[in-house]
Amino acid sequence: MTTLADTSLHLLRERQQPRPLAWSGLSAGLAWAAVAISAVAWPDVSDWLETRRFALGAAIFAAGFISLTIAGRWLPRAGDWIREAGPWATASGIALTLWQLASAKFGWLPLPFFPPPQALLEVYTEDYATLGASVFASMKLLVTGFVVGAVLGFLTGVAIGWSRQAGYWVHPVLRFIGPLPATAWLPIAFFAFPSSWSASIFLIALATGFPVTVLTWSGIASVNSRYYDVARTLGARPGFLILRIAIPAALPHVFVGLFMALGSAFSVLMVAELVGVKAGIGFYMQWAQGWASYANVYAALVVLALLCSGSITLLFRLRDRVLSWQKGLVQW
């Protein structure tokens, strides 16, 4: 008869057994070793200052992937992580090796339009102050416009979803003006507002407000009326119905509107900085393109991609926290 102690001992022995080697982690280490070797094995076709530092960084990544692969035989979390991330790390290493060879080593890609990866590293080490100031200016503009548009859109959506009178007056205006791209207001905005910064805030808020309004309105309107009936029989007042029933039930729709609005806000931010605002990541890219510094343009694009991805991730975390009470009920 198997006792509890025998079962525990068996499980302990199973955990102490080395797990199979994660071959995807080993391939990732070899791919990044190829990046490092390709950076030092051939001379550069032009002068780039960060080639050796780039090779050193790639070698550190290669050593890290191989170490995780070996450690993963005894550390389950490390093994699981390298198994999952290994294919992407391998693909990234192969892409970087090909990019390195085609641009810096053999000159197959025309310069300066296609700079090598060490040129981007050079931008980050040499021009980080200007790039950081541009990121700060862009985020200040984006956050201000997005918050203003989201708050106004949310309040408008609640109003027209709850009140028939508000819906009567606001709905036709929303249907007529709302579908217009926010960038279509560009000539009027830069003429009507005292500065390009305030005009950009208006455009970003406009691009944010429309999807948030429509999705909030849809969420409020789709709440099951039986919830209200039950609450009314218990003596609930209109304020309670709005704040405790309508808005919580509409929050999944509101977050869909916020996700859509964030993409539109980034698009308008880039257009505003390219044509009017004299600061920010879009202005930096235009300035760099004017001087044919395409390494700066690509470096700014990478930073912009990280900002967009980080903003979406932050919004996902906020949604998971706010809607934790609906876990398992709402499918995204």
Side-chain angles (χ1 to χ4, degrees), residues 29-54:
L30 293 176
W32 280 82
V35 177
I37 293 170
S38 67
V40 295
W42 290 276
D44 291 339
V45 297
S46 184
D47 294 329
W48 288 292
L49 303 177
E50 299 291 345
T51 298
R52 293 202 171 273
R53 195 176 294 183
F54 174 75

Side-chain angles (χ1 to χ4, degrees), residues 269-291:
L269 172 71
M270 285 297 102
V271 173
E273 288 182 347
L274 287 172
V275 302
V277 182
K278 301 302 180 186
I281 200 76
F283 175 75
Y284 179 88
M285 289 167 63
Q286 190 184 39
W287 167 81
Q289 190 265 340
W291 288 95

Side-chain angles (χ1 to χ4, degrees), residues 141 189-202 276-277:
L141 194 62
F190 280 101
F191 170 75
F193 284 84
S195 66
S196 57
W197 200 84
S198 56
S200 301
I201 293 289
F202 165 75
V277 182

Side-chain angles (χ1 to χ4, degrees), residues 19 22 25 64-65 67-86:
R19 305 177 75 189
F65 288 133
S67 301
L68 279 174
T69 303
I70 296 172
R73 298 197 68 190
W74 292 274
L75 301 175
R77 294 184 68 179
D80 294 341
W81 186 87
I82 197 64
R83 277 188 180 82
E84 184 175 352

Side-chain angles (χ1 to χ4, degrees), residues 320-332:
D320 293 341
R321 189 174 182 81
V322 173
L323 297 182
S324 59
W325 55 277
Q326 286 193 336
K327 189 175 182 180
L329 298 177
V330 180
Q331 300 294 327
W332 295 88

Side-chain angles (χ1 to χ4, degrees), residues 146 207-208 211-212 215 255-265 312 315:
F146 185 78
T208 304
V212 174
L215 269 299
F255 273 98
V256 174
L258 288 174
F259 282 119
M260 295 171 62
L262 191 59
S264 303
I312 291 289
L315 201 53

Side-chain angles (χ1 to χ4, degrees), residues 110-115 292-295 298:
L111 295 172
F113 305 107
F114 297 99
S293 301
Y294 284 91
Y298 287 109

